[in-house]
Amino acid sequence: LGTNSSSFKPFRSKEFLLSDDIRVVESVKGPGFNLGIVTNLKIGEYFDFRFLPTLSFAERNINYGKSSRQYPNSQRTVESVFVEMPFQMRYKSAPYRDKRLFVIAGVKYGFDVASDSRSKQAETLVKIAPNDFAVEYGAGIQIFFPFFIFSPEFKISQGIGNTLIFNPNLEESTVLEKVLSRTFTISLHFEG
């Protein structure tokens, strides 16, 4: 189980400098939550290979600040339902008093099953691709109980692929060169 805070990292294009209408392009974080399954393969005493298929609900926003009163400021909200497939390596410390610290690093593929990039009404919206690749890193602690292991962890995901679907007929799209995803996740893992 987990909660996430997702956002975009917009990179402005040369057209942004030439635009008379759009003065500001910024991302606003949105809330979300995760539900997943833990698959763990021990590799020796201190290393694990992990696969955590997850259903992730997220909201991300891009705000456009406009200069004219005729066209008010606008916001593009992207509500997503991701099927995520993260592959991670975990390094654990030696146990101490039924606890051990760990760090994780890996890669993740996500597919947005709720993407509106192919819908007809998306012609007037900034389109975001349904596919996303990211690198992940984080840390946590394992707490050993008699019948299960409780592992709270935090994780940062940084997109490595451009998710913007460029539309030359839409000014909100032309002022952007690329858009990367960012997610901060706090998870509670229960392992047998």
Side-chain angles (χ1 to χ4, degrees):
L1 300 171
T3 181
N4 68 60
S5 176
S6 300
S7 66
F8 289 119
K9 182 170 183 179
F11 290 83
R12 294 162 190 88
S13 68
K14 293 177 184 175
E15 293 295 321
F16 177 76
L17 298 174
L18 303 174
S19 175
D20 292 332
D21 292 333
I22 298 176
R23 295 289 181 215
V24 177
V25 178
E26 61 186 1
S27 178
V28 178
K29 293 179 182 177
F33 69 94
N34 301 0
L35 182 62
I37 299 170
V38 176
T39 306
N40 193 69
L41 174 66
K42 287 189 176 186
I43 305 172
E45 179 68 24
Y46 299 107
F47 287 95
D48 294 329
F49 177 75
R50 296 165 66 81
F51 174 57
L52 297 98
T54 305
L55 192 61
S56 177
F57 299 85
E59 179 182 303
R60 301 165 293 173
N61 303 293
I62 300 176
N63 284 349
Y64 293 92
K66 301 201 176 174
S67 58
S68 67
R69 292 181 184 167
Q70 182 181 0
Y71 300 103
N73 294 349
S74 63
Q75 177 173 293
R76 169 68 165 114
T77 300
V78 180
E79 294 175 347
S80 302
V81 179
F82 284 104
V83 175
E84 296 179 336
M85 290 173 266
F87 295 91
Q88 302 170 349
M89 287 298 293
R90 177 169 73 173
Y91 173 73
K92 303 176 289 191
S93 68
Y96 177 74
R97 294 190 179 180
D98 294 332
K99 296 176 184 67
R100 81 194 307 178
L101 299 174
F102 63 86
V103 292
I104 55 171
V107 294
K108 175 180 74 173
Y109 168 73
F111 182 77
D112 185 1
V113 295
S115 174
D116 61 1
S117 64
R118 288 184 226 107
S119 69
K120 296 264 188 202
Q121 65 187 22
E123 295 302 320
T124 60
L125 302 172
V126 173
K127 293 183 186 181
I128 301 297
N131 299 300
D132 192 21
F133 292 93
V135 294
E136 297 188 308
Y137 51 90
I141 184 171
Q142 285 185 309
I143 304 169
F144 296 89
F145 290 96
F147 300 108
F148 68 96
I149 303 168
F150 175 61
S151 301
E153 75 175 30
F154 73 89
K155 182 172 48 180
I156 296 170
S157 300
Q158 299 198 18
I160 55 176
N162 182 12
T163 58
L164 175 69
I165 299 175
F166 185 75
N167 181 353
N169 301 320
L170 187 63
E171 186 177 23
E172 285 84 354
S173 179
T174 61
V175 297
L176 296 171
E177 181 179 330
K178 63 181 176 178
V179 174
L180 302 179
S181 61
R182 298 284 186 262
T183 306
F184 177 76
T185 305
I186 297 174
S187 302
L188 304 176
H189 297 268
F190 299 90
E191 303 176 45

